[in-house]
Amino acid sequence: MDRLAKQRRVDGLRDRCREHGLPLTEQRQVVLEAVLELDNHPTADQVHEAVSRRDPRVSRATVYRALESLARIGVITKACHPGKSIRYDSRTETHHHLVCLHCDTVIDIEDERLDALPVPDTSRFGFEIRDFRVQLRGACRRCRELEETQ
């Protein structure tokens, strides 16, 4: 994401907070900026580390709360994956993920065929689908190369 696109996302945070009745705090803005800068599906701890370099007074708990509120209002998303930690995604538009089961790397993938998969009828479960993303799990190039050399 280029610098101008990142700035538009940060500028849009004010409107989203207003729409959801949340104050635009400096901490929310700094956390969003860190997620946008990292741009690698960071964990909360990785975001806290990046935020701490800018402002060491921001606590881990504040970062966690800010990430959760940003996800709740749709400014970022949570990337579901089988690793130990929740990963956060700066991209909110529909896209899919490749997830390495060895190193927990998450890679964005866009494929019209995945977008066109039929969504099952879940009404009998009383479940309303609000988002649809495909997750393909396996081994990334780096981990496969490491496996081959061992």
Side-chain angles (χ1 to χ4, degrees):
M1 181 180 303
D2 68 23
R3 203 166 115 171
L4 184 58
K6 288 177 187 173
Q7 189 56 51
R8 279 195 301 266
R9 293 284 301 277
V10 171
D11 292 344
L13 177 60
R14 178 183 308 335
D15 295 333
R16 289 292 240 183
C17 285
R18 191 175 306 121
E19 288 169 17
H20 292 272
L22 294 173
L24 174 60
T25 63
E26 184 179 337
Q27 291 88 347
R28 282 191 181 108
Q29 183 170 330
V30 170
V31 166
L32 176 58
E33 289 170 354
V35 171
L36 295 172
E37 279 301 314
L38 291 168
D39 197 31
N40 64 350
H41 306 90
T43 65
D45 286 339
Q46 290 168 324
V47 174
H48 178 254
E49 185 179 313
V51 168
S52 292
R53 286 193 291 270
R54 291 177 63 177
D55 185 350
R57 298 168 299 162
V58 177
S59 72
R60 179 176 267 110
T62 298
V63 169
Y64 275 79
R65 283 192 304 271
L67 286 167
E68 288 301 312
S69 68
L70 293 173
R72 193 171 48 256
I73 66 173
V75 175
I76 61 174
T77 59
K78 290 182 182 181
C80 299
H81 98 42
K84 294 174 249 163
S85 300
I86 295 170
R87 305 295 286 262
Y88 293 90
D89 196 342
S90 61
R91 293 184 61 195
T92 57
E93 72 278 3
T94 299
H95 65 286
H96 311 286
H97 292 125
L98 304 174
V99 179
C100 181
L101 294 170
H102 302 285
C103 68
D104 291 337
T105 295
V106 179
I107 302 166
D108 291 335
I109 180 174
E110 294 180 36
D111 189 311
E112 291 177 7
R113 295 169 297 176
L114 295 176
D115 297 341
L117 288 173
V119 177
D121 178 7
T122 58
S123 59
R124 69 184 176 143
F125 302 106
F127 191 84
E128 177 187 358
I129 296 174
R130 296 184 180 170
D131 189 20
F132 171 75
R133 296 171 196 241
V134 175
Q135 180 183 98
L136 303 169
R137 302 180 336 174
C140 70
R141 176 180 291 131
R142 196 181 99 238
C143 289
R144 282 190 5 263
E145 289 171 355
L146 285 173
E147 285 175 348
E148 291 170 7
T149 61
Q150 295 177 353

